[in-house]
Amino acid sequence: MSMKPRIVVTGIGVVTPIGSGRGAFWTPLTAGVSGGGTISAFDASPYATQIAAECRDFDPMAYMHRKLAGRMGRNSQMAVAAAMQAVQDAGLDLAGMDTARVGCCVGAAAGDFNTLEENHVEFLDRGAKAISPFCVPKVIPNMPAGNVAIALGIHGPNFAALSACATGAHSIGMALLLLRAGQADVMLAGGVESTITPFVLNGYVAMGALSKRNDAPARASRPFDKTRDGFVMGEGAGVLVLETLEHARARGAEPIAEVAGFGATADGFGLAQPDPEAAWTAKAMELALRDAGMSASDVQYINAHGTSTPANDRSETKAILKVFGDAPPLVSSNKSMIGHTLGAAGAIEAAATALTVKHGVIPPTINFEVPDEEIPLDVVPNVARSVRVEAALSNSFGFGGQNGVLAFRKV
């Protein structure tokens, strides 16, 4: 049996509520900075939830011409920005490469609801002629991947995973499999989301999923804390450059970490509620470890899905204890700082996990004040911790019970 080629991360691009670009993201993440605030994109004062984690400083014109930006939804703009950052971070010379061997898998949990809502209002007010010809190309959820290919001039495998909050993780997992299969030399992989709109916000409110701590937005996302009352919507993008270790070494690139394994399962249980017994989220972790050729004892850290909802945090804890027993590794949730970025979450958190492996610094779970007796984990509360991390998992669990887990290790 032939050995699987080793796949490494050589570049990271992120657009997040606390900073864009590898360093501008990693520094506040390890410092415990919150990106939560009162919504500025629209007047949310009439609504039960008025807070979110917005990318307030994102300027698409820093990455592309105004005309090109105008043809994209905000999610595509973020995806292209993150992809450009990642390519630069990796030192890739696309002009000197066979672009048919460079692919892209960047997914979104939803389309561009900003455009959808604006055009729907115009349609109701002024009729069919008011609809923009760019409405459908902006809204359909594969367009971030398509726009990345158009902006960068790449021609390899190009598609979008679509699996709710597991989208970013599944995108990276699919890219990993394509690289192992020899279908590409380099893949840009990740996820994006920008759905902080009145309609989507209130859809999550109707589900009872969002925090209502409107008077303390920076402290509203509190994964694993006993007083948690729901997640804080976030937006952003994360794109990783993945390539075979052989290809990276041939061009003199320095790997950040190895993407060693991928596991995916379905709860087959409920539309939004995770399986309370956590059998299939645990199985996804076990499959990622098996794919990586690792055992549970090899792992020092888990970047948790950690949404700050009562049901998810309990279920994820149960899954971790099923896999790791009475001595689980350190666990923390980036969502305490950047909110729940939905389709982007698995990708941004994968980027953070790769950087944790590289630097040996575990970002904290901020806003942790009241321990929950149902969660017997060390969640690295409030202050980052320096620990040598040889291997780590990144968990992503989506509505519909779609689970994706990535395993990373030092190169």
Side-chain angles (χ1 to χ4, degrees), residues 68-155:
L68 181 60
R71 295 177 176 178
M72 298 184 196
R74 182 170 168 86
N75 60 354
S76 284
Q77 294 170 354
M78 289 181 168
V80 169
M84 288 179 171
Q85 292 173 16
V87 166
Q88 183 177 21
D89 191 46
L92 276 178
D93 177 16
L94 293 175
M97 297 178 66
D98 178 359
T99 55
R101 300 287 298 170
V102 183
C104 174
C105 181
V106 174
D112 177 35
F113 269 77
N114 298 278
T115 294
L116 182 62
E117 291 181 42
E118 289 167 5
N119 277 261
H120 187 242
V121 169
E122 290 294 306
F123 173 69
L124 294 178
D125 286 349
R126 300 195 292 123
K129 291 183 179 180
I131 297 176
S132 166
F134 293 109
C135 178
V136 170
K138 285 184 177 182
V139 167
I140 53 179
N142 68 296
M143 287 310 293
N147 276 311
V148 167
I150 292 166
L152 297 180
I154 57 176
H155 305 284

Side-chain angles (χ1 to χ4, degrees), residues 299-317:
V299 175
Q300 292 80 39
Y301 171 60
I302 299 173
N303 189 310
H305 188 54
T307 60
S308 189
T309 60
N312 176 86
D313 291 0
R314 280 196 302 268
S315 177
E316 184 169 15
T317 298

Side-chain angles (χ1 to χ4, degrees), residues 170-193:
H170 281 158
S171 296
I172 294 167
M174 293 298 101
L176 171 71
L177 298 180
L178 282 170
L179 288 165
R180 285 178 176 171
Q183 296 295 306
D185 296 323
V186 174
M187 289 291 297
L188 304 178
V192 63
E193 207 74 74

Side-chain angles (χ1 to χ4, degrees), residues 34 63 86 103 119 130 188 240 243 354 369 371 396:
S34 173
Y63 300 91
N119 277 261
L188 304 178
L240 278 59
E243 55 189 306
E369 297 171 352
S396 297

